[in-house]
Amino acid sequence: MLSEVLLVSAPGKVILHGEHAVVHGKVALAVSLNLRTFLQLEPHSNGKVGLHLPNIGVKRVWDVARLQLLDASFLGQGDITAPTPEQVEKLKEVACFPEDCAVTERLAVLTFLYLYLSICQKQRALPSLDIVVWSELPTGAGLGSSAAYSVCLAAALLTACEEIPNPLKDGDDVSRWTEQGLELINKWAFQGERVIHGNPSGVDNAVSTWGGALRYQQGKISPLKRPPALQILLTNTKVPRSTRALVAGVRARLVQFPEIVAPVLTSIDAISLECERVLGEMAAAPAPEQYLVLEELIDMNQHHLNALGVGHASLDQLCRVTMARGLHSKLTGAGGGGCGITLLKPGLERPEVEATKQALASCGFDCWETSVGGPGVSVHSAASLDGRVRQALGGL
Ligand code: MEV
């Protein structure tokens, strides 16, 4: 077990195309966001394990000795396997949730306990440690906040337990793990996502692990050679929703109307492929017509997602408000509220962007301009903490 404090971060994501279809084996195109989740792991010898999640008001402490008793059901896993319902039931007992405990808190605590016990089970004794996780990402808005949480936990626990070497060398401000290390982080983060979402495709944790832009299909990850330099408006409708319920709803619709829904999924697949082709072309020889194609793809996909039943009145409003200014939007992530993206084409005048942001704010939405394609999970030196992290962790 390492004795030093670890500080890791991982990005959120937006799905350009392919949400929901990706759960059924189709292609998704996803890019990392320049909004991140940060985790600080501090080893101790006080016989306690602490979890502090200031964004959602969680502060919990367990006796290592108590968790050690439970450890038996996690021992001997060897392989990285999906969490079983029995394991999750045991974790619920140990977590001792109050009756009125919020779902977000339940899932965050269960995921932590699951990853802590599974990853640390190879240690002679379970380690004492304190973990603080803080995020710039809104929770449950479709921006991959749960995946960034699982990726940070997996990376920090695997490193602290010396399952993967700490890549940060003296004098480095920031560093990343080897490809092999990232593979292992991603595998464990996927199990964390399973605790939270039931049956996720794995695209969210893959983007958070590798960063940049990638094509994802059935667990196969292909980074785009040149991540697109797209500028987008990211809008949070603030309408809460559950990814798990929306994914289940699409599955139910597919079972009920296979002849109708399967072609919609196939069409979304074709949209993702066409988008990938155009992005490749843009990287090689940019031309204004390419943006017109990207805009048409956005409109078609938004209609398809509505046909799958994952639209929402707030997302329709987002599309109307931006369309009135000649801009094209679609939901991103699971839909049913949550977030949408609007493509900002080059040459757009500043007043037009500001007016659009103003119009969206007056609908009650949070809206911010961002670029995409930042680095995946990283480990930082304490000295390199920039203002945004120092402020958040320092004030805890
Ligand atoms: C959620 O960000 C994306 C979905 O496709 C679910 C998944 O891929 O697991 C809706």
Side-chain angles (χ1 to χ4, degrees), residues 273-350:
L273 295 178
E274 178 63 6
C275 181
E276 186 185 9
R277 190 191 65 73
V278 175
L279 291 177
E281 219 176 74
M282 274 169 93
E289 307 80 71
Q290 291 151 350
Y291 272 89
L292 298 177
V293 179
L294 292 185
E295 288 175 342
E296 273 195 73
L297 296 176
I298 285 176
D299 292 344
M300 286 192 283
N301 198 359
Q302 177 62 16
H303 288 301
H304 284 341
L305 288 161
N306 275 320
L308 293 180
V310 298
H312 188 270
S314 60
L315 293 163
D316 293 342
Q317 194 179 13
L318 161 67
C319 292
R320 268 200 315 276
V321 167
T322 53
M323 186 58 88
R325 288 161 178 80
L327 299 174
H328 299 249
S329 308
K330 68 176 274 290
L331 69 83
T332 186
C339 281
I341 48 172
T342 306
L343 186 63
L344 297 178
K345 40 193 168 197
L348 208 60
E349 299 289 336
R350 184 90 315 251

Side-chain angles (χ1 to χ4, degrees), residues 45-226:
S45 50
N46 60 359
K48 307 268 184 214
V49 178
L51 176 68
H52 185 187
L53 310 174
N55 291 79
I56 56 169
V58 173
K59 200 160 192 177
R60 305 284 302 255
V61 181
W62 296 270
D63 283 329
V64 170
R66 170 119 198 267
L67 297 178
Q68 196 81 49
L69 295 175
L70 191 96
D71 188 35
S73 59
F74 287 84
L75 284 173
Q77 271 184 13
D79 287 345
I80 303 171
T81 49
T84 65
E86 296 73 37
Q87 285 174 329
V88 176
E89 279 315 307
K90 286 226 170 80
L91 294 179
K92 282 184 188 158
E93 276 168 38
V94 101
C96 281
F97 295 119
E99 273 291 291
D100 57 350
C101 184
V103 177
T104 320
E105 172 169 353
R106 280 177 199 269
L107 295 175
V109 168
L110 290 176
T111 303
F112 165 71
L113 287 173
Y114 180 76
L115 290 176
Y116 168 78
L117 287 164
S118 308
I119 292 174
C120 302
Q121 49 113 347
K122 287 200 190 131
Q123 304 285 299
R124 257 184 300 124
L126 286 173
S128 296
L129 45 86
D130 263 331
I131 283 189
V132 186
V133 187
W134 167 79
S135 188
E136 298 170 338
L137 294 157
T139 309
L143 300 182
S145 61
S146 68
Y149 174 67
S150 293
V151 168
C152 280
L153 280 174
L157 291 168
L158 285 164
T159 308
C161 292
E162 299 182 84
E163 292 287 314
I164 51 177
N166 184 352
L168 198 71
K169 302 284 166 279
D170 278 350
D172 286 351
D173 279 347
V174 62
S175 189
R176 306 202 59 224
W177 289 265
T178 59
E179 199 52 28
Q180 217 179 355
L182 293 176
E183 297 273 356
L184 196 62
I185 292 169
N186 186 51
K187 279 188 185 149
W188 277 114
F190 183 49
Q191 306 315 325
E193 278 282 88
R194 280 179 152 160
V195 175
I196 298 174
H197 293 307
N199 187 25
S201 65
V203 64
D204 291 10
N205 47 279
V207 186
S208 192
T209 302
W210 276 280
L214 53 87
R215 170 201 224 263
Y216 183 93
Q217 186 172 28
Q218 290 181 320
K220 189 165 175 292
I221 298 149
S222 327
L224 267 56
K225 278 183 207 75
R226 280 197 254 178

Side-chain angles (χ1 to χ4, degrees), residues 255-279:
V255 169
Q256 192 180 359
F257 307 111
E259 303 278 306
I260 300 169
V261 176
V264 176
L265 299 176
T266 305
S267 179
I268 292 177
D269 192 56
I271 289 175
S272 297
L273 295 178
E274 178 63 6
C275 181
E276 186 185 9
R277 190 191 65 73
V278 175
L279 291 177

Side-chain angles (χ1 to χ4, degrees), residues 13 15 18-23 142 199-204 243 247 333-334:
K13 65 91 197 32
I15 295 184
E19 48 272 277
H20 289 288
V22 69
V23 176
N199 187 25
S201 65
V203 64
D204 291 10
T243 299
V247 167

Side-chain angles (χ1 to χ4, degrees), residues 7-13 32-39 53-56 132-146 148-149 152 208 234 236 339 366-371 374-375 380 384-393:
L7 182 75
V8 305
S9 75
K13 65 91 197 32
S32 61
L33 269 178
N34 292 331
L35 297 171
R36 302 180 76 85
T37 291
F38 295 88
L39 181 153
L53 310 174
N55 291 79
I56 56 169
V132 186
V133 187
W134 167 79
S135 188
E136 298 170 338
L137 294 157
T139 309
L143 300 182
S145 61
S146 68
Y149 174 67
C152 280
S208 192
L234 191 59
N236 186 358
C339 281
D366 283 346
C367 180
W368 57 102
E369 244 176 293
T370 181
S371 56
H380 306 260
S384 74
L385 297 186
D386 56 18
R388 63 188 191 183
V389 184
R390 202 178 315 126
Q391 199 181 358
L393 293 180

